[in-house]
């Protein structure tokens, strides 16, 4: 089972730092000498080598040039960019509002053939109605203190979610039963959301399972994650989105999804749980 997806991002950053430190040692330079060659404060090279300060593209080029290893720069820049993209804070992602991030991820959704989604807190984005999404995104905007473009973001989310109705895409969705009860919108919007889920369940390209609150489980509740084919897993934490692309970690999350799926009920049993949540709305 995964320990923490954050540890993967930290490991990727540490690997870049270690490679830079190796180039410095191969060149026979001290940190002070390298900083002098690059025109930096003497402590900068040490912070980069210890992984305390992520290097910019320009930093890496200067470092490699100082070590006489310009041919390593392109590969190290790519590795550094990948490490930084693994862990991106929501405040940074949403610094201009939420519409743009939905638009930017449309190509990923369109090229993905098989979606495997585990939801432990809110409805998966591709299932959300406009009313439910409006309540949720308003709460996120208020909590993060980011620009309010909720109306535009809801529309962009709906456009991105068209993949569940169009094209050759398959969806395996597993929800914790508690997701059916969390009031992220008003009662009318919650009822419409649950009715929408009942409707989507009938689509031939959708397999929806619900883990009953009292189910015997082999995997504890995890933070929500989205698996895009076998190529990428996006894990959603309170502060950041963490994107995993290493095969070993992807296999671990897919294994977790498989185990979680075994605890879920489907068909008539899942419909009964959704109907129960609808009735509870009064």
């Amino acid at each position: 089972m995964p320990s923490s997806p954050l540890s993967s991002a930290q490991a990727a950053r540490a690997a870049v730092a270690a490679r830079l430190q190796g180039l410095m040692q191969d060149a026979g330079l001290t940190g002070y000498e390298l900083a002098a060659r690059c025109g930096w404060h003497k402590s900068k090279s040490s912070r980069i080598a210890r992984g305390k300060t992520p290097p910019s593209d320009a930093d890496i080029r200067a470092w490699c040039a100082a070590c006489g290893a310009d041919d390593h720069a392109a590969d190290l820049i790519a590795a550094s960019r990948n490490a930084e993209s693994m862990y991106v804070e929501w405040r940074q992602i949403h610094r201009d509002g939420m519409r743009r991030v939905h638009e930017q991820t449309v190509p990923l959704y369109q090229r993905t053939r098989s979606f495997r989604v585990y939801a432990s807190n809110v409805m998966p984005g591709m299932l959300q109605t406009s009313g439910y999404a409006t309540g949720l995104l308003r709460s996120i905007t208020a909590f993060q203190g980011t620009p309010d473009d909720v109306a535009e973001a809801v529309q962009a989310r709906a456009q991105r979610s068209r993949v569940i109705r169009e094209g050759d895409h398959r969806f395996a969705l597993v929800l914790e039963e508690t997701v059916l009860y969390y009031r992220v919108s008003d009662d009318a919007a919650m009822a419409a959301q649950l009715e929408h889920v009942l409707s989507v369940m009938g689509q031939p390209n959708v397999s929806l399972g619900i883990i009953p609150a009292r189910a015997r489980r082999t995997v504890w509740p995890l933070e929500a994650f989205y698996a895009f084919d076998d190529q990428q897993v996006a894990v959603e934490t309170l502060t950041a989105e963490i994107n995993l692309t290493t095969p070993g970690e992807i296999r671990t999350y897919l294994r977790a999804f498989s185990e979680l799926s075994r605890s879920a009920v489907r068909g008539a049993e899942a419909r009964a749980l959704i109907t129960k949540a609808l009735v509870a709305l009064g």
Side-chain angles (χ1 to χ4, degrees):
M1 292 303 302
S3 53
S4 166
L6 173 57
S7 64
S8 301
Q10 292 170 331
R13 288 173 175 170
V16 171
R19 290 175 65 184
L20 289 170
Q21 188 173 40
L23 290 178
M24 181 178 69
Q25 292 171 343
D26 290 345
L29 298 173
T30 65
Y32 181 82
E33 290 168 338
L34 186 138
R37 289 191 182 188
C38 294
W40 299 338
H41 186 277
K42 60 183 181 180
S43 65
K44 181 173 179 176
S45 58
S46 175
R47 293 197 307 271
I48 291 175
R50 289 183 292 119
K52 299 297 184 182
T53 299
S56 66
D57 292 1
D59 290 339
I60 292 174
R61 291 190 188 95
W63 189 293
C64 290
C67 296
D70 295 275
D71 55 327
H72 289 263
D75 184 47
L76 279 165
I77 287 171
S80 180
R81 288 179 179 177
N82 180 63
E84 292 310 304
S85 68
M86 288 177 66
Y87 183 92
V88 187
E89 292 189 355
W90 291 119
R91 282 183 175 272
Q92 179 182 345
I93 296 173
H94 297 157
R95 64 184 181 277
D96 299 320
M98 289 183 282
R99 174 186 59 83
R100 182 176 298 178
V101 68
H102 290 90
E103 294 176 342
Q104 290 175 336
T105 50
V106 165
L108 172 62
Y109 277 63
Q110 289 179 335
R111 68 174 177 264
T112 298
R113 302 271 70 82
S114 175
F115 293 80
R116 278 161 285 192
V117 180
Y118 167 70
S120 55
N121 42 24
V122 298
M123 289 287 175
M126 67 278 294
L127 288 184
Q128 292 175 13
T129 62
S130 60
Y132 184 96
T134 297
L136 174 63
L137 298 187
R138 285 204 183 284
S139 297
I140 293 172
T141 296
F143 184 80
Q144 294 178 348
T146 46
D148 185 346
D149 66 344
V150 170
E152 294 82 0
V154 168
Q155 184 176 5
R157 175 167 288 198
Q159 289 294 317
R160 187 182 68 179
S161 299
R162 291 171 60 180
V163 293
I164 204 167
R165 303 185 305 275
E166 303 174 357
D168 179 24
H169 309 278
R170 301 183 307 281
F171 296 84
L173 311 170
V174 174
L175 284 61
E176 297 285 351
E177 183 182 1
T178 49
V179 172
L180 307 177
Y181 292 90
Y182 291 143
R183 306 288 182 90
V184 301
S185 57
D186 60 41
D187 287 358
M190 284 296 300
Q193 176 64 69
L194 294 174
E195 290 166 354
H196 178 64
V197 174
L198 286 170
S199 174
V200 171
M201 286 177 67
Q203 294 183 195
N205 65 326
V206 175
S207 169
L208 188 141
I210 298 174
I211 302 176
R214 296 178 61 84
R216 173 70 176 91
R217 45 200 313 153
T218 57
V219 175
W220 56 94
L222 304 172
E223 292 179 308
F225 64 86
Y226 290 65
F228 303 92
D229 291 322
D230 298 332
Q231 304 301 310
Q232 178 179 333
V233 172
V235 184
E236 298 182 342
T237 74
L238 174 64
T239 57
E241 177 181 79
I242 302 173
N243 290 288
L244 307 174
T245 57
T246 57
E249 288 181 306
I250 291 173
R251 285 194 298 270
T252 300
Y253 270 89
L254 293 183
R255 177 189 166 201
F257 183 83
S258 178
E259 292 290 330
L260 289 162
S261 295
R262 290 196 181 98
S263 300
V265 297
R266 293 174 176 75
E269 290 181 87
R271 289 181 178 277
L273 291 176
I274 297 171
T275 301
K276 179 182 175 183
L278 262 170
V279 171
L281 287 170

